[in-house]
Every structure is written in C-alpha cells, then in structure tokens.
C-alpha cells in the first residue's frame, strides 16, 4: 500500500497559507530591492561610462516592475488562490530577467544566472512542481532569446538606436541552450529536493510538537481534574509541581510553594531528610509508603491527609525526586468518629432501655403497694399528702420511662393506606378537646382540611403519637391562651430532599400556635432527646415525633420567631414504594 503524503501540495490549512503569504511578500520585497539596485547601477554606469549601451529599455522595465509590484501587492490579501498568484509573480520575474538579459548582451550577458534565483525561489514557495515549471519557462524564454539573437530579429519596441549583439553560430546556440537548460533543471531538482525535505522535516516537527503539546495538555488536564492532590519534588525535597486539588486542600498556590522545602508544607510527613545521596542508589520500589499526616492550611485549619509517597523517575529511569499523592481525610475522620460515637451511644441506649424496662417492674410494684396502703390505712392529712406525692411521682416516672422506651425501642411499622384526616388528625383533635389541659389553657382549635384529600400509606397509631405530641406542645406554648391551627395541603417535592430517586407528591400537615415562639438556640436543639425548656418536660416528645416521621421517609420543618408563634410542618409521602 503506497504511503500517504504528509499533506497535499495545496494545503488549505490556515497556518500553511499564512506561511506562503509571508514568502510571497518577501519575494516582492526582494524584487523591489533588486530593481532598485539595478536602477542605481544603470544610472552610475551612464554617468561614468560615455560609451555604454543604451539602457532606456532597462529603465522602462524597472518602472514596470515598481508598478507591477505595487499593483499586485494591493490585491494580495483579497486573492483566493495564492499558488496561482505566485505563478503570476514568477512569470513576471522571468519576463523581466529575459528583457534584462536581452538588453545587456544576450548570450554574453552576465545576468543569465538570474533565472537560477527565480527557480530557487519557486522551489521554496511552490516546491517540486513549481520549480520544474519555472525551470521549463526559463528554458523556453532563454531559447527564444538566443533564437532572436541568432537570426538577428529586431523587435518592434527597440529604441531608435538598434541593439548590437555579437553574432553566434549554430553550435554556440545549441551549446548555450543545452548548458543553461541543464543548469536550470539541475537547480530546480536540487532546490525542490531541499525544499521538500525541509517541508517534510518541518511538518514532522510540527506534528511532533503538536502531539507533545496535546500530550502535555492531556496530562495537565488529568492532573488538574483529579480530586487527589499531586505534588513532586526534586532530589533536595523542594516542591516542583502542584495540581489544582493540592491547592484546594492546602490553600497554597503553586507560585507560593514552588521551590520551598517539602517539610514547610508537610512538617510531619515521614520522608528521608537527605534524599540526594540516598535516592541515587535506590530502586523505584524501595520507597513506596502510605501514611497519614496532619497539616495546617493557609487559612489556619488543621486537616488530616492520607499520603502515598513514591520515587519520581526521569526519562532515563534515574531518580529525580519524590511524587506525593494525597487525599483529604478530614471528613472521613469525622465520619469515623461520628460512627464510633453513634455505636457507643447505641450501646448506651440499649443498656439504658434495658435498665428502664427493669425499673418499670419494681416501680409498678411500689405504685401498687402504695395504692393498697392508701386504701387500707387510716391516714391523717399530712400522711395522705405524702401518699399522693408518691403516687403522682410514680405515675410521672412511669410516663417518662414509657416515653424513653418508645424512643429507644420504637415499635415496628405497620403501613396501610389510611385517611389521615379522619384517622389521625380529627381523632387527635377529639382527644385534645377532652383533655383537661386544653380546657385549662382556654385555647381554640381551628382545623382546615381540604375535601377529598388523598389517602396516605402510613402507620396511623404512630402518626397519632406524632400529632398528639405536636399539638400538646403547641397548647403548652400558649400559656395565656391562643389559637391552635391545623392545615393540610399537597405539594410536589424534589426527590433528593427525601432521599428519593425521583420527584414525588407529598402531604404537608402544619400545626401552628400563637405562643411566644422559639429562639435560634432552641431551634438548633429542638429534636435532640432530653432537650426541653419546660420545668416538668421529659424532652422526648419531639424526638419521638421526629423518629416516627423519619421512619415514614418524611421530614419535620419548623418555622418560628420570638413572639410570633411556631409552625411545625410534617411532610409525608403519599406512598412508600420510592424506597
């Protein structure tokens, strides 16, 4: 299969067109310089030599050269085919050289060699094809000039005084034409060969440079796109490169750390202190370490890093320094500590739940015994008061233990499609209206429920506990009376807000009061267990409600401002098949 050319003889590439355009401009500049030298030389000869050849024709062609160059230069940038434009320029140069040879003695002229310069220029600009075309035109024009001289033909445009040529015989004609034709084609071959070689070398160099640039850009983009920090050092442990992730992790830019010792940025990193004599005698697999260290970033924050240290080799396989790849483990460390703490709390919770369960049994026995004694004994007023205190505190302690067990050991979920308005909201409101705390607080309850509200897949008993706790807290927040408002609506929510894969329809049930509201501190800790602002509260009501709603794949949103009341919004998905 024949090899493909490096690129076509008529490249359309903009860079090659610009190169050809610049060469044509230099060709035109060179022509102006040459004709200017000829003009000065002609004037000098006529001034100093009385019996010189008539040079009027030379002056005419010099003027034409100026005019031709200026006219064609004005159309250079608008010309589409630069190769045709170059042939046009070379054609004029050949005509000018032929006229100059004719004027200065024909076959005896010393300017015959000017054809060679045009052929060389054609080889440089138009390569092999252009060089041989110009060589052929040079041969034909020179042959025509020799024929004119041999047959003594006098052109019509000669001056009033005819030009005198030395007569030539036929053998001289053949010799001159053959010799110059061989010279022309030999120059065309050599110049085009050198030009083609230079072009191919330049093309290969450009391709290699382009591939190298692309490879450098590829490696640079990979390094800059990595989420791991990458840095390299020389044999003296001074930093030489630093990617974008390293800048993000440490806070230092490459310009700030370039040339600095590695220990300035990573003071606790375990690497040999004298790398220069050590590394030159080490194999690449002798220094591969994985370690963890802590650094202080530019902003003063301490971060934990996992660092892999290995030898950095140059193109010859010699050790040139170190390469370090590191990741920010700060969040991972925090997560590990959080998981460990959660495990500890879970163990403590299980222990506490077991203790609470064991405490309920003797507490029930104590409460029952006190009730029996209270009914069988005749007590005075002070003794009866003490008995009432024991019974009341026993009930409060039993209620506290029940709430704690409900939070620590939540009941298993029993999902079913339910009418949440009737089975949960209205039933909870009915219980509130019968509760003595509702009567004492002198609060009003206003319920706004839409007609035909969609059913929800839920556990109605546990949701009753949620709304009971929320409503009870609302009533207790309105110590001077107020309005408890319960509203319901449907809403379309982005799935990621509930850890779902797709957007979904949810029910939003709000419980609002007109109490004193909550401050920022309380809002931040409101769902933490045992956190309470009440004197007699257990701090488990909202924690239990939050856990139950979370087990329904929902959330509780809180809106509150001091002196403006509080609104709890319970967001529940209508169905449970998203998880």
């Amino acid at each position: 299969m024949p090899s493909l050319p490096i690129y076509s003889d008529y490249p359309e590439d903009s860079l090659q067109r610009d190169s050809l355009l610049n060469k044509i401009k230099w060709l035109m500049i060179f022509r102006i310089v040459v004709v200017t030298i000829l003009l000065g030389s002609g004037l000098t000869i006529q001034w100093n030599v009385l019996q010189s050849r008539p040079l009027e024709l030379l002056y005419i062609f010099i003027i034409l050269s100026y005019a031709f160059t200026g006219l064609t230069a004005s159309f250079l940038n608008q010309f589409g085919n630069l190769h045709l434009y170059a042939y046009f320029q070379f054609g004029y140069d050949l005509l000018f050289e032929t006229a100059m040879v004719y004027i200065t003695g024909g076959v005896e002229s010393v300017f015959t060699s000017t054809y060679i310069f045009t052929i060389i220029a054609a080889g440089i600009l138009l390569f092999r094809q252009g060089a041989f075309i110009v060589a052929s035109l040079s041969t034909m024009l020179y042959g025509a000039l020799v024929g004119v001289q041999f047959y003594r033909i006098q052109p019509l445009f000669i001056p009033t005084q005819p030009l005198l040529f030395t007569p030539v015989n036929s053998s001289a004609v053949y010799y001159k034409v053959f010799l110059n034709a061989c010279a022309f084609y030999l120059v065309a071959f050599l110049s085009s060969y050198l030009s083609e070689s230079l072009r191919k070398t330049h093309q290969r160099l450009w391709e290699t440079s382009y591939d190298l640039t692309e490879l450098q850009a590829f490696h640079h983009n990979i390094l800059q796109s990595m989420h791991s920090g990458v840095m390299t050092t020389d044999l003296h442990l001074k930093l030489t490169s630093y990617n974008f992730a390293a800048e993000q992790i440490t806070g230092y830019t490459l310009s700030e750390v370039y040339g600095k010792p590695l220990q300035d940025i990573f003071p606790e990193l375990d690497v040999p202190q004298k790398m220069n004599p050590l590394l030159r005698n080490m194999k690449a697999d002798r220094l591969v370490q994985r370690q963890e260290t802590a650094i202080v970033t530019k902003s003063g924050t301490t971060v934990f890093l996992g660092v892999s240290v290995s030898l950095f080799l140059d193109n010859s396989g010699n050790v040139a320094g170190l390469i370090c790849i590191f990741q920010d483990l700060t969040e991972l460390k925090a997560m590990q500590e959080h998981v460990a703490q959660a495990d500890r709390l879970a163990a403590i919770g299980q222990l506490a739940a077991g203790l609470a369960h064991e405490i309920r049994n003797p507490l029930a026995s104590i409460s029952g015994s006190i009730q029996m004694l209270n009914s069988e004994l005749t007590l005075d007023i002070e003794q009866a008061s003490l008995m009432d205190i024991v019974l009341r505190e026993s009930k409060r302690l039993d209620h506290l233990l029940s709430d704690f067990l409900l939070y620590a050991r939540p009941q298993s979920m029993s999902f079913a499609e339910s009418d949440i308005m009737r089975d949960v909201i209205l039933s909870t409101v009915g219980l509130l209206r019968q509760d003595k705390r509702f009567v004492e607080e002198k609060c009003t309850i206003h319920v706004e429920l839409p007609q035909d509200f969609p059913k929800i897949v839920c556990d109605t008993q546990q949701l009753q506990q949620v709304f009971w706790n929320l409503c009870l807290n609302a009533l207790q927040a309105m110590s001077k009376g107020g309005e408890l408002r319960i509203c319901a609506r449907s809403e379309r929510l982005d799935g990621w807000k509930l850890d779902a894969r797709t957007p979904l329809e949810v029910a939003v049930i709000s419980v609002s009061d007109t109490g004193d509201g909550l401050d920022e501190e309380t809002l931040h800790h409101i769902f933490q267990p045992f956190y309470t602002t009440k004197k007699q509260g257990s701090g488990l009501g909202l924690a239990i409600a939050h856990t139950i709603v979370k087990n329904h794949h929902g959330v509780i949103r809180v809106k509150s401002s001091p002196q403006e009341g509080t609104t709890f919004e319970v967001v529940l998905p209508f169905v449970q098949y998203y998880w």
Side-chain angles (χ1 to χ4, degrees):
M1 180 177 179
S3 60
L4 296 176
I6 294 180
Y7 58 81
S8 63
D9 290 335
Y10 300 93
E12 296 296 332
D13 187 82
S14 60
L15 294 177
Q16 297 175 8
R17 176 181 171 84
D18 292 341
S19 177
L20 179 57
L21 183 63
N22 290 330
K23 291 178 181 178
I24 292 175
K25 290 179 180 178
W26 279 108
L27 174 66
M28 299 170 73
I29 294 173
F30 181 73
R31 180 193 301 143
I32 294 297
V33 172
V34 170
V35 297
T36 303
I37 294 174
L38 288 175
L39 177 60
S41 300
L43 293 174
T44 303
I45 291 173
Q46 283 196 329
W47 184 267
N48 296 314
V49 182
L50 297 178
Q51 300 295 327
S52 62
R53 287 176 175 268
L55 300 176
E56 288 81 359
L57 281 178
L58 177 62
Y59 296 148
I60 292 174
F61 278 106
I62 289 175
I63 294 173
L64 288 175
S65 296
Y66 282 122
F68 175 81
T69 303
L71 182 64
T72 54
S74 61
F75 294 101
L76 177 58
N77 293 325
Q78 287 77 28
F79 213 88
N81 193 333
L82 291 181
H83 289 82
L84 182 60
Y85 184 90
Y87 279 118
F88 187 56
Q89 295 289 326
F90 287 131
Y92 175 80
D93 289 337
L94 292 177
L95 291 175
F96 178 81
E97 291 162 357
T98 303
M100 188 170 61
V101 172
Y102 177 77
I103 294 170
T104 57
V107 295
E108 297 178 348
S109 175
V110 295
F111 291 103
T112 305
S113 59
T114 56
Y115 287 110
I116 293 177
F117 295 111
T118 304
I119 296 171
I120 293 175
I124 295 174
L125 268 71
L126 302 174
F127 305 106
R128 182 178 295 111
Q129 182 180 6
F132 278 96
I133 290 177
V134 172
S136 299
L137 292 175
S138 300
T139 302
M140 289 187 289
L141 289 174
Y142 183 76
L145 185 147
V146 173
V148 168
Q149 185 174 354
F150 177 75
Y151 291 107
R152 298 179 180 274
I153 300 173
Q154 187 72 17
L156 297 177
F157 53 82
I158 62 174
T160 55
Q161 182 180 359
L163 298 173
L164 299 176
F165 297 109
T166 302
V168 292
N169 54 34
S170 59
S171 60
V173 170
Y174 292 127
Y175 173 75
K176 290 283 186 180
V177 173
F178 176 76
L179 182 62
N180 283 283
C182 290
F184 294 160
Y185 282 107
L186 180 61
V187 170
F189 172 76
L190 293 176
S191 64
S192 62
Y193 174 78
L194 293 176
S195 182
E196 289 284 349
S197 299
L198 182 62
R199 178 174 68 162
K200 292 178 181 179
T201 301
H202 176 75
Q203 180 68 12
R204 291 193 180 96
L205 180 62
W206 183 86
E207 290 177 350
T208 303
S209 177
Y210 177 80
D211 291 341
L212 179 60
T213 303
E214 288 293 308
L215 185 61
Q216 289 175 339
F218 177 72
H219 289 167
H220 177 76
N221 289 334
I222 289 179
L223 285 176
Q224 296 302 319
S225 301
M226 291 176 62
H227 294 289
S228 298
V230 180
M231 62 181 180
T232 59
T233 72
D234 58 15
L235 288 173
H236 302 286
L237 290 181
K238 293 186 177 180
L239 293 170
T240 57
S241 67
Y242 213 62
N243 73 337
F244 179 73
E247 294 180 351
Q248 294 293 108
I249 294 173
T250 63
Y252 295 99
T253 62
L254 176 60
S255 60
E256 293 174 325
V257 301
Y258 184 82
K260 289 187 176 181
L262 177 64
Q263 297 297 326
D264 288 358
I265 310 298
F266 294 81
E268 298 181 9
L269 192 63
D270 183 17
V271 292
Q273 296 297 318
K274 297 181 180 180
M275 304 297 293
N276 193 3
L278 177 64
L279 287 178
R280 292 186 184 276
N281 300 319
M282 294 180 66
K283 295 183 179 180
D285 57 352
R286 291 284 301 278
L287 184 61
V288 179
Q289 303 177 7
R290 175 69 181 180
Q291 52 185 292
E292 294 184 2
T293 184
I295 67 168
V296 178
T297 65
K298 184 179 180 180
S299 62
T301 305
T302 300
V303 295
F304 296 93
L305 304 178
V307 186
S308 296
V309 182
S310 58
L311 294 180
F312 179 57
L313 306 180
D314 59 17
N315 294 333
S316 302
N318 297 323
V319 176
L322 292 178
I323 180 169
C324 302
I325 302 175
F326 55 93
Q327 301 83 28
D328 188 354
L329 303 181
T330 305
E331 292 186 2
L332 181 61
K333 287 282 187 181
M335 291 176 60
Q336 290 176 344
E337 292 180 1
H338 179 73
V339 171
Q341 183 180 9
D343 291 341
R344 290 193 298 269
L345 290 176
I348 294 173
Q350 292 295 329
L351 177 61
L355 289 174
H357 181 73
E358 294 299 324
I359 291 173
R360 291 188 70 182
N361 294 330
L363 181 63
S365 301
I366 293 172
S367 178
S369 300
I370 293 297
Q371 290 179 7
M372 291 182 62
L373 290 173
N374 190 29
S375 61
E376 294 179 357
L377 297 177
T378 301
L379 305 174
D380 57 25
I381 297 176
E382 184 178 354
Q383 292 173 338
S385 177
L386 292 175
M387 285 289 187
D388 290 339
I389 290 173
V390 173
L391 289 174
R392 184 172 64 253
E393 292 303 318
S394 297
K395 290 181 180 179
R396 192 173 71 85
L397 183 57
D398 182 69
H399 179 70
L400 177 61
L401 291 175
S402 299
D403 287 345
F404 177 75
L405 288 174
L406 182 61
Y407 175 78
R409 293 180 179 177
Q411 300 176 359
S412 60
M413 307 292 289
S414 178
F415 289 106
E417 190 176 64
S418 305
D419 185 351
I420 192 172
M421 300 296 105
R422 183 193 63 192
D423 299 338
V424 177
I425 304 300
L426 294 179
S427 62
T428 302
V429 170
L431 292 175
L432 284 173
R433 294 184 188 278
Q434 298 175 6
D435 192 274
K436 64 177 181 178
R437 288 168 290 189
F438 169 70
V439 178
E440 292 175 355
E441 298 295 342
K442 299 180 181 179
C443 297
T444 59
I445 299 178
H446 184 72
V447 181
E448 296 180 2
L449 302 178
Q451 297 293 331
D452 301 326
F453 196 76
K455 292 185 178 181
I456 298 179
V457 176
C458 63
D459 187 322
T460 56
Q461 289 186 353
Q462 295 203 27
L463 286 184
Q464 284 178 356
Q465 181 69 43
V466 171
F467 288 101
W468 172 263
N469 291 345
L470 292 178
C471 292
L472 194 58
N473 282 349
L475 293 175
Q476 293 173 350
M478 298 183 289
S479 57
K480 299 178 182 180
E483 181 183 41
L484 173 63
R485 181 179 296 270
I486 302 175
C487 303
R489 69 180 188 276
S490 61
E491 185 178 300
R492 187 168 180 82
L493 202 65
D494 291 335
W496 62 268
K497 294 183 178 180
L498 297 180
D499 294 331
R501 297 182 294 273
T502 59
L504 67 163
E505 295 290 333
V506 296
V508 180
I509 305 168
S510 62
V511 178
S512 305
D513 63 62
T514 58
D516 296 333
L518 304 174
D519 56 25
E520 291 294 331
E521 176 85 14
T522 303
L523 286 174
H524 185 69
H525 301 283
I526 193 169
F527 293 115
Q528 293 182 2
F530 302 108
Y531 180 82
T532 181
T533 59
K534 306 170 188 175
K535 294 182 179 180
Q536 299 296 326
S538 63
L540 291 172
L542 289 179
I544 293 171
H546 182 267
T547 301
I548 294 174
V549 173
K550 185 178 180 180
N551 291 337
H552 280 77
H553 302 104
V555 294
I556 299 180
R557 301 185 299 213
V558 187
K559 302 176 183 177
S560 182
S561 298
Q563 309 304 323
E564 294 184 5
T566 304
T567 299
F568 286 85
E569 290 184 343
V570 179
V571 181
L572 297 169
F574 285 106
V575 292
Q576 294 291 325
Y577 59 77
Y578 291 97
W579 295 271

